[in-house]
Structures are given as structure tokens and as C-alpha cells.
């Protein structure tokens, strides 16, 4: 078995909230892994850790990540961050 990629949350300088992030090897893109893992990370952060809010950062050119973030309920704000619920 080999790694597909990773997903988790990060506390980044300049952000008040925790940032949800993911990265997968190109051969695993567009297979639903990012959505599935981001939802699991979000659920764990809320249900186990007790985080109330998470955000995400991506570039406007990264349409794939924007779609993932929208699928997990975040909304994209250009030149800013995707904002949690």
C-alpha cells in the first residue's frame, strides 16, 4: 500500500481560525478523496476536538480545490479565504 496524500488542519500565521488542508498525488485527483477526507477532518475537529470554525485557503486559479471546499460547505471569497460555516 502506498500513500495517496494527506489531509488535516493547520494553524497558520495570519489566520484567526484553523485552516483545513489536503494534498494528494496527481494520480489520485478527481476521485473524491479530497472531499471525503476534508469532511472527516472537519467532523473530527468539531465532534472530538470541539472546534467551532475552520477556514481554508486556495488560489483563485485552483478550480479543483474551490470545488472541494464548496462541496464541504465552504464558500469562496476571491483574494481571501474560503470561509467556514
Amino acid at each position: 500500500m502506498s500513500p495517496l496524500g494527506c489531509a488535516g488542519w493547520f494553524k497558520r500565521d495570519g489566520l484567526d481560525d484553523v485552516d483545513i488542508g489536503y494534498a494528494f498525488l496527481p494520480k489520485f485527483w478527481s476521485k473524491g478523496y479530497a472531499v471525503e477526507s476534508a469532511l472527516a477532518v472537519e467532523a473530527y475537529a468539531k465532534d472530538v476536538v470541539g472546534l467551532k470554525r475552520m477556514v481554508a485557503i486556495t488560489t483563485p486559479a485552483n478550480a479543483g480545490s474551490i470545488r472541494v471546499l464548496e462541496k464541504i460547505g465552504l464558500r469562496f471569497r476571491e483574494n481571501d479565504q474560503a470561509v467556514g460555516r
Side-chain angles (χ1 to χ4, degrees):
M1 178 177 253
S2 62
L4 310 175
C6 62
W9 69 83
F10 309 89
K11 182 61 181 116
R12 298 186 193 271
D13 291 341
L15 288 180
D16 294 332
D17 299 297
V18 173
D19 173 34
I20 188 168
Y22 45 84
F24 291 89
L25 296 172
K27 73 180 188 176
F28 298 109
W29 292 357
S30 300
K31 299 188 183 313
Y33 296 124
V35 172
E36 183 177 345
S37 61
L39 286 171
V41 166
E42 182 182 40
Y44 185 85
K46 285 180 172 180
D47 300 341
V48 177
V49 179
L51 292 177
K52 303 283 186 224
R53 180 176 151 91
M54 293 188 354
V55 299
I57 296 175
T58 191
T59 64
N62 193 338
S65 278
I66 293 170
R67 278 192 305 276
V68 169
L69 297 174
E70 289 173 342
K71 286 180 181 181
I72 67 167
L74 301 179
R75 62 185 190 281
F76 184 73
R77 295 189 319 201
E78 193 167 342
N79 296 326
D80 203 346
Q81 59 206 25
V83 180
R85 298 186 259 279

